Amino acid sequence: MISCQQLIEFCLDYVEGVLPDEEQVGFRRHLSQCPDCVTFFETYRITPELSREALATQIPASVRESVRSFLQSRRSE
Ligand SMILES: [Zn+2]
């Protein structure tokens, strides 16, 4: 099973439909077992690209650090 951090990293690819099948399975399995990530993903999906940094203030504390570091790593690319 993938980690919360991986789920967050896979989010964009999943939403765009380009995530490989194998990762999609892990992605869905994680969502079926992690309510925090369900909350994150539902919010992510309806949040426009420009507003996604605001996500970090709206998600459960247990996922927040992963999201923050993910967004920071994307920004520095
Ligand atoms: Zn999770």
Side-chain angles (χ1 to χ4, degrees), residues 1-8 30-31 33-38 40 62-63 66:
M1 178 149 125
I2 64 171
S3 66
C4 293
Q5 176 79 50
Q6 284 174 305
L7 184 130
I8 291 160
H30 187 102
L31 282 182
Q33 294 173 27
C34 185
D36 284 350
C37 281
V38 172
F40 166 75
S62 55
V63 184
S66 298

Side-chain angles (χ1 to χ4, degrees), residues 53 65-77:
E53 292 198 27
E65 271 312 307
S66 298
V67 174
R68 191 172 294 151
S69 57
F70 170 63
L71 289 171
Q72 280 170 355
S73 69
R74 283 192 64 203
R75 195 184 305 132
S76 63
E77 268 167 18

Side-chain angles (χ1 to χ4, degrees), residues 13-29:
D13 285 348
Y14 187 86
V15 168
E16 292 182 343
V18 298
L19 192 67
D21 287 348
E22 215 168 286
E23 276 84 1
Q24 280 194 37
V25 171
F27 189 95
R28 292 205 198 90
R29 188 172 298 154

Side-chain angles (χ1 to χ4, degrees), residues 42-62:
E42 288 302 312
T43 310
Y44 184 91
R45 202 161 50 173
I46 60 170
T47 304
E49 177 78 31
L50 284 173
S51 307
R52 280 184 180 151
E53 292 198 27
L55 259 185
T57 63
Q58 297 165 21
I59 56 174
S62 55

